[in-house]
């Protein structure tokens, strides 16, 4: 049982990880739905470029993404210096950790929502329009409900990816206990100190358990909602 008892440092890292991941997913959702709709329904010059930029964090080394965030949004960065004058600081605090997690998980959210949107029968949308519904009403009453399975899947996958984010986070906001030290960063810290193996193993098992639960919940909720729609 002693193996399962988390120390204050480990509990702190767990709480911060859940906090950061929750905010990252909440902040990404509206923009993710918009990006998925644009990619699935619109045709315009530069669409492939936009698609590539959205999915770039999937193929870039996370450290590169974190460095780009630091260059752009650090206190002396291109955008960060202007934000600092407004009293907004993102680097080296939990808000920056949220941003790093959101950027890294955003492609997974967009991809899941886009696949769901592409499976929506556009004939239903056309029928709603012929009955006098405007574009926004069609979206919120017809399209969005049919996208829910993909949105649920995207949210949980993005949440799980945010929980596991390491490279971009440590590069952009460092590894500060109580501020930016999430589960992966705490696990890394324990691997670098003497007698930290047991704590590292506890955090490893905790991370795997949370990720597996998230994936199982995603599958169950998506199937249940899809069955309800078909019924």
């Amino acid at each position: 049982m002693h193996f399962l008892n988390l120390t204050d440092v480990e509990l702190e890292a767990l709480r911060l990880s859940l906090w950061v991941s929750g905010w990252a997913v909440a902040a990404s959702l509206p923009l993710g739905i918009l990006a998925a709709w644009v990619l699935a329904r619109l045709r315009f010059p530069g669409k492939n470029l936009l698609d590539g930029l959205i999915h770039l964090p999937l193929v870039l080394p996370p450290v590169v993404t974190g460095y780009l965030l630091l260059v752009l949004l650090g206190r002396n960065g291109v955008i960060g210096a202007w934000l600092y004058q407004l009293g907004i600081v993102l680097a080296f605090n939990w808000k920056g950790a949220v941003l790093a997690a959101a950027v890294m998980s955003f492609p997974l959210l967009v991809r899941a929502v886009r696949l769901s949107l592409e499976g929506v029968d556009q004939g239903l949308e056309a029928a709603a329009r012929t009955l006098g519904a405007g574009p926004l009403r069609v979206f919120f009453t017809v399209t969005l409900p049919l996208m829910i399975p993909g949105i649920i899947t995207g949210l949980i996958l993005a949440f799980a990816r945010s929980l596991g984010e390491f490279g971009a986070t440590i590069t952009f906001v460092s590894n500060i206990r109580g501020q930016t030290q999430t589960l992966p960063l705490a696990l890394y810290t324990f691997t670098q100190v003497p007698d930290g193996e047991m704590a590292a193993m506890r955090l490893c098992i905790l991370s795997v358990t949370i990720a597996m639960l998230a994936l199982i919940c995603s599958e169950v909720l998506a199937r249940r909602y899809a069955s309800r729609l078909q019924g």
Side-chain angles (χ1 to χ4, degrees):
M1 292 298 294
H2 177 71
F3 179 82
L4 299 176
N5 292 331
L6 299 178
T7 65
D8 291 341
V9 175
E10 296 161 19
L11 286 172
E12 196 173 58
L14 174 60
R15 285 193 294 266
L16 183 61
S17 289
L18 295 175
W19 176 261
V20 166
S21 298
W23 272 107
V25 169
S28 298
L29 180 58
L31 188 57
I33 293 175
L34 175 61
W37 186 85
V38 168
L39 293 175
R41 294 295 175 84
L42 299 183
R43 293 183 180 180
F44 54 91
K47 179 179 176 179
N48 289 335
L49 177 61
L50 176 62
D51 193 8
L53 288 174
I54 289 174
H55 291 88
L56 195 59
L58 287 179
V59 294
L60 275 179
V63 174
V64 174
T65 303
Y67 178 72
L68 291 175
L69 289 174
L70 188 61
V71 170
L72 291 173
L73 298 171
R75 184 170 295 183
N76 298 317
V78 178
I79 302 173
W82 175 70
L83 292 176
Y84 181 67
Q85 293 178 352
L86 299 176
I88 301 173
V89 179
L90 295 176
F92 307 110
N93 60 55
W94 71 269
K95 297 174 186 176
V98 168
L99 179 61
V103 169
M104 295 302 299
S105 62
F106 189 70
L108 294 176
L109 175 62
V110 172
R111 194 172 187 85
V113 176
R114 180 183 179 181
L115 289 173
S116 182
L117 178 58
E118 289 175 344
V120 171
D121 185 358
Q122 296 188 42
L124 297 175
E125 297 173 321
R129 285 193 292 269
T130 60
L131 294 175
L136 286 178
R137 187 174 180 183
V138 170
F139 178 78
F140 284 107
T141 61
V142 178
T143 310
L144 189 60
L146 294 175
M147 292 166 54
I148 292 297
I151 293 175
I152 292 173
T153 300
L155 282 175
I156 298 180
L157 288 177
F159 182 81
R161 178 64 183 86
S162 298
L163 279 175
E165 168 48 35
F166 176 82
T169 302
I170 198 171
T171 306
F172 183 43
V173 297
S174 189
N175 185 7
I176 307 170
R177 179 182 170 182
Q179 290 290 325
T180 65
Q181 191 177 81
T182 55
L183 277 178
L185 273 64
L187 194 157
Y188 172 77
T189 299
F190 283 123
T191 63
Q192 304 301 306
V193 298
D195 301 322
E197 294 85 0
M198 192 66 69
M201 181 58 68
R202 281 196 296 268
L203 291 183
C204 179
I205 293 174
L206 185 60
S207 298
V208 171
T209 301
I210 294 174
M212 285 299 298
L213 287 175
L215 292 174
I216 292 171
C217 287
S218 170
E219 187 69 19
V220 170
L221 290 174
R223 286 186 177 182
R224 182 172 297 178
Y225 195 87
S227 299
R228 185 176 300 176
L229 287 177
Q230 292 174 0

